[in-house]
Amino acid sequence: MYSEADLNSIDITAAPPLEEPQRQYYFIAKCREWLNEKKKKNGTLPKACVVNMGCQMNARDSEKLEGILKAIGYELTSQEDADFLLMNTCTVRENANLKVYGRLGQLKRQKQTHPDMMIALCGCMMQESLVVEKICESYRHVDILFGTHNVFKLAELLYKRIQPNTGMVIDIWEGTDEIVEDLPSERKYSFKCGVNIMFGCNNFCSYCIVPYVRGRERSRQPEDILAEIRALAASGVTEVMLLGQNVNSYGKTLPEPISFAELLRRVEKIEKIRRIRFMTSHPKDLSNELIEVMASSEKICRHLHLPMQSGSSKVLKDMNRRYTKEDYLALVERIRSAIPDISLTTDIIVGFPTETEEDFEETMDVVRRVRFDSAFTFLYSRRTGTPAASMQPAADESQVKERFDRLLCEVQKIARDTCSRYEGQVMEVLVEGPDEQAPGALTGRLSNNLLVHFPGSADLIGTYRMVRLSEAKGFYYMGELA
Ligand code: SAH
Ligand code: SF4
Ligand code: F3S
């Protein structure tokens, strides 16, 4: 990790180094000099805001981007009228893209009254060439545009942009084999942190754009992951969330292959880590070894997010998910018999092009049989370039919307029941912060990922406490310190 002294000792009059991450530290130092001049001239502290619009993977990238901006000298803020605004975009569904265009329209006016403001865009949406074309044509007020493979280059791109007579800076990579380690990162919480274990996805589910915008699957070396977690533990982190689009295939393509379950065993040995979570598990790759490791672990949380997408074997085949309804149910059975107190959550898509009413009923059937603790339900969104985009829809929009409402109703009814099963018990929470709704109260998270709100003082934040779950409120609990 860098220190102020390290940054000050960089010779910024020399040519930039070619190797990473030294090259980026060089550009951070260059940008710092520029920003210091600005500070002196304006007499104010320039502010930067990173808006995260996507999943946990994007959120982790945002922390890295914030780390770089802070090292450059920006004060971080959540106010979007900052001097440097960076939107880290998502494109998994069309409405994510529409939100970005809407926001860019508003920013055009904002920039007219604040011409010094810099606007940058990055993330998954920028990996689509049509999007980049549209921004170049219609949103000329954007300053910097980059993608998912080169987030580590932010300082270099900013430096390029501030050179005289430079317009919009665009740097999009098609893909990469490179994993740049050891750049600064700004953590949202002092006690918990996401850790990338792999990047990209090779599964090509037929509806999904992620493999196209995140590139091929690449696993980090286990030693690098463990070293990062040890450093996090030494700085006070006790909960880690291991991140990847399909963590169950972690390590398979490394020169010395290692299984995800084995990685978990090694993480478990890191003393100060008390809780381990991971996202996301693809059902087709979930091994018995993983179930065994979870069942015997003291630290791996009692929660598994296991996206099913559909309950119909025909639709699952068309989705290229590579499991059937029966496989999914059998897997749930195996998990539950080994880990009875596990909380299961899922993702479901309604209205996939080949979904008929009978197929949808199969989804409802699985939902009723499995009884998920919670389910994220999505209306199918057509993504240009994916195989599903050229399939003919079997149902019209109003039928799909009606199915969606039926599913949501069922899912919520079941979740209310299953979540309340711990009412009256005393369980351990990690206290995550103040309860936003009630002054003087705190919010803690159970191992099974449910939240509990209870009275308590702020000095408990970041600690583990036993809490009585006095009243189930549907998807969370009201409680008291035990
Ligand atoms: N890698 C994860 C999912 C990442 S995307 C996995 O496979 O489980 C998160 C969720 O968005 C998916 O699980 C899916 O339910 C949903 N999703 C992805 N593409 C979608 C699309 N085109 N339309 C609607 N929902 C979609
Ligand atoms: Fe998308 Fe499927 Fe990869 Fe998940 S596993 S990111 S749904 S292609
Ligand atoms: Fe969205 Fe990219 Fe995540 S498309 S869901 S932010 S990987």
Side-chain angles (χ1 to χ4, degrees), residues 59-89:
R60 182 68 189 121
D61 285 346
S62 291
E63 292 185 341
K64 295 178 185 170
L65 293 160
E66 284 180 338
I68 295 171
L69 290 169
K70 196 171 172 194
I72 289 174
Y74 281 104
E75 185 186 347
L76 297 175
T77 167
S78 55
Q79 305 293 311
E80 293 188 23
D81 59 353
D83 304 275
F84 188 102
L85 177 66
L86 172 57
M87 283 195 267
N88 191 5
T89 62

Side-chain angles (χ1 to χ4, degrees), residues 71-169:
I72 289 174
Y74 281 104
E75 185 186 347
L76 297 175
T77 167
S78 55
Q79 305 293 311
E80 293 188 23
D81 59 353
D83 304 275
F84 188 102
L85 177 66
L86 172 57
M87 283 195 267
N88 191 5
T89 62
C90 170
T91 184
V92 78
R93 286 168 288 274
E94 182 65 23
N95 51 12
N97 292 33
L98 298 177
K99 241 195 329 219
V100 172
Y101 292 129
R103 191 73 190 89
L104 281 177
Q106 294 166 346
L107 283 168
K108 192 167 189 170
R109 285 185 293 278
Q110 204 166 315
K111 204 164 169 173
Q112 277 158 0
T113 56
H114 189 166
D116 241 11
M117 178 184 194
M118 248 197 237
I119 301 169
L121 288 171
C122 68
C124 296
M125 189 177 155
M126 301 306 127
Q127 293 293 140
E128 292 175 274
S129 49
L130 287 176
V131 168
V132 176
E133 266 169 44
K134 180 162 172 169
I135 291 172
C136 290
E137 264 167 37
S138 314
Y139 301 94
R140 297 293 311 161
H141 54 296
V142 171
D143 294 287
I144 305 174
L145 213 154
F146 57 105
T148 56
H149 301 297
N150 51 352
V151 282
F152 69 91
K153 269 185 79 179
L154 173 60
E156 184 170 347
L157 300 175
L158 173 58
Y159 187 69
K160 195 163 168 195
R161 176 66 187 91
I162 59 183
Q163 299 314 299
N165 307 320
T166 312
M168 189 192 291
V169 170

Side-chain angles (χ1 to χ4, degrees), residues 403-428:
R403 283 177 203 160
F404 183 85
D405 293 342
R406 254 192 292 158
L407 175 68
L408 192 63
C409 194
E410 191 69 32
V411 156
Q412 290 186 342
K413 196 173 78 197
I414 294 171
R416 256 187 217 106
D417 275 8
T418 47
C419 292
S420 63
R421 68 186 182 275
Y422 303 108
E423 199 173 58
Q425 293 192 23
V426 173
M427 290 173 119
E428 188 182 59

Side-chain angles (χ1 to χ4, degrees), residues 294-457:
M294 284 185 83
S296 60
S297 168
E298 295 283 319
K299 297 185 178 178
I300 302 174
C301 288
R302 282 355 206 182
H303 173 221
L304 192 62
H305 186 62
L306 194 63
M308 77 165 202
Q309 314 300 1
S310 168
S312 151
S313 295
K314 182 201 86 191
V315 172
L316 286 168
K317 185 155 189 291
D318 295 343
M319 286 178 162
N320 192 30
R321 289 290 288 181
R322 284 171 278 174
Y323 53 86
T324 62
K325 175 186 185 183
E326 290 69 33
D327 295 336
Y328 190 88
L329 288 170
L331 179 60
V332 167
E333 187 66 40
R334 263 190 287 145
I335 295 167
R336 285 228 170 108
S337 59
I339 320 162
D341 58 344
I342 192 102
S343 157
L344 284 179
T345 58
T346 200
D347 291 345
I348 302 169
I349 298 176
V350 180
F352 184 80
T354 63
E355 181 187 270
T356 63
E357 180 59 28
E358 291 72 45
D359 295 314
F360 175 71
E361 276 305 328
E362 300 274 352
T363 299
M364 291 291 269
D365 183 46
V366 179
V367 164
R368 289 188 193 109
R369 290 214 227 167
V370 175
R371 299 182 61 77
F372 294 103
D373 288 78
S374 101
F376 297 96
T377 50
F378 304 106
L379 278 171
Y380 168 73
S381 171
R382 193 170 164 273
R383 308 312 288 131
T384 309
T386 62
S390 52
M391 297 179 190
Q392 280 308 314
D396 65 36
E397 226 174 281
S398 64
Q399 285 170 315
V400 171
K401 182 74 183 59
E402 186 272 330
R403 283 177 203 160
F404 183 85
D405 293 342
R406 254 192 292 158
L407 175 68
L408 192 63
C409 194
E410 191 69 32
V411 156
Q412 290 186 342
K413 196 173 78 197
I414 294 171
R416 256 187 217 106
D417 275 8
T418 47
C419 292
S420 63
R421 68 186 182 275
Y422 303 108
E423 199 173 58
Q425 293 192 23
V426 173
M427 290 173 119
E428 188 182 59
V429 294
L430 167 55
V431 186
E432 292 197 341
D435 177 356
E436 302 296 345
Q437 312 300 327
L442 299 171
T443 298
R445 193 178 294 270
L446 297 166
S447 167
N448 66 18
N449 213 33
L450 285 178
L451 295 179
V452 191
H453 305 292
F454 56 98
S457 62

Side-chain angles (χ1 to χ4, degrees), residues 208-362:
C208 184
I209 199 158
V210 171
Y212 305 89
V213 295
R214 285 270 166 184
R216 292 295 60 72
E217 191 179 289
R218 306 172 301 285
S219 293
R220 281 177 76 195
Q221 288 293 344
E223 306 81 57
D224 290 339
I225 297 169
L226 293 165
E228 181 176 337
I229 300 177
R230 274 189 216 104
L232 288 169
S235 73
V237 166
T238 59
E239 178 181 305
V240 286
M241 163 90 87
L242 309 183
L243 298 172
Q245 291 297 354
N246 176 13
V247 291
N248 298 323
S249 67
Y250 169 77
K252 288 185 181 166
T253 53
L254 283 172
E256 281 177 55
I258 151 173
S259 68
F260 178 55
E262 178 55 29
L263 179 73
L264 282 173
R265 278 194 201 100
R266 296 191 196 172
V267 176
E268 174 126 23
K269 288 196 191 119
I270 300 175
E271 212 177 297
K272 289 188 180 137
I273 296 298
R274 288 182 59 167
R275 279 186 174 180
I276 305 167
R277 301 183 183 277
F278 52 84
M279 281 264 267
T280 297
S281 281
H282 194 306
K284 81 176 162 65
D285 296 313
L286 201 147
S287 66
N288 286 336
E289 187 194 9
L290 176 65
I291 298 176
E292 281 159 29
V293 169
M294 284 185 83
S296 60
S297 168
E298 295 283 319
K299 297 185 178 178
I300 302 174
C301 288
R302 282 355 206 182
H303 173 221
L304 192 62
H305 186 62
L306 194 63
M308 77 165 202
Q309 314 300 1
S310 168
S312 151
S313 295
K314 182 201 86 191
V315 172
L316 286 168
K317 185 155 189 291
D318 295 343
M319 286 178 162
N320 192 30
R321 289 290 288 181
R322 284 171 278 174
Y323 53 86
T324 62
K325 175 186 185 183
E326 290 69 33
D327 295 336
Y328 190 88
L329 288 170
L331 179 60
V332 167
E333 187 66 40
R334 263 190 287 145
I335 295 167
R336 285 228 170 108
S337 59
I339 320 162
D341 58 344
I342 192 102
S343 157
L344 284 179
T345 58
T346 200
D347 291 345
I348 302 169
I349 298 176
V350 180
F352 184 80
T354 63
E355 181 187 270
T356 63
E357 180 59 28
E358 291 72 45
D359 295 314
F360 175 71
E361 276 305 328
E362 300 274 352

